[in-house]
């Protein structure tokens, strides 16, 4: 029994050592980010182009049916920064560019997304 437990512990240790994490920068694959224009003619054109493009990272959250913003969508080519599209309660949409991934993570995980949006995104970042 002693040898059996020793063998299991040894096998577990060896298998844990075999799991190596690789941290390296990946190029955006299976995206068409290189086709996005540097500037857009209008916010509606930017939203249309972005929603039809393929990104490395896309995430969304539903926030409220009655307050603004109602929903938010994040699109990133590199996993560092991206576009943020926000649906407002009066059926308008706003788009922001160069939103850091950390800001999106905080926004999507906060207990008060409406307050976070008004103080950390809408007042700080310029919309297209």
């Amino acid at each position: 029994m002693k040898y059996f437990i020793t063998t299991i512990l040894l096998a577990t240790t060896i298998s844990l050592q075999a799991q190596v994490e690789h941290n390296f920068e990946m190029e955006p694959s299976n995206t068409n980010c290189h086709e996005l224009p540097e500037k857009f003619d209008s916010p509606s054109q930017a939203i249309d182009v972005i929603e039809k493009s393929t990104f490395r990272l896309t995430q969304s959250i539903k926030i409220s049916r009655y307050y603004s913003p109602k929903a938010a969508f994040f699109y990133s080519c590199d996993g560092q920064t991206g576009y943020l599209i926000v649906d407002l309660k009066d059926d308008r949409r706003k788009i922001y560019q160069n939103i850091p991934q950390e800001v999106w993570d905080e926004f999507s995980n906060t207990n008060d997304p409406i307050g976070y949006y008004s103080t950390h995104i809408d007042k700080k970042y310029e919309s297209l």
Side-chain angles (χ1 to χ4, degrees), residues 56-75:
R56 181 175 180 189
L57 172 69
T58 59
Q59 295 180 332
S60 65
I61 57 170
K62 290 185 180 182
I63 300 169
S64 172
R65 290 173 37 186
Y66 306 107
Y67 299 102
S68 246
K70 297 187 325 183
F73 308 88
F74 184 72
Y75 303 89

Side-chain angles (χ1 to χ4, degrees), residues 74-88:
F74 184 72
Y75 303 89
S76 177
C77 292
D78 59 7
Q80 304 289 320
T81 61
Y83 298 95
L84 177 66
I85 298 174
V86 179
D87 290 347
L88 303 174

Side-chain angles (χ1 to χ4, degrees), residues 9-25:
L9 288 174
L10 182 61
T12 304
T13 305
I14 291 171
S15 70
L16 289 176
Q17 289 175 350
Q19 296 176 0
V20 177
E21 184 177 327
H22 296 283
N23 292 323
F24 53 89
E25 193 69 28

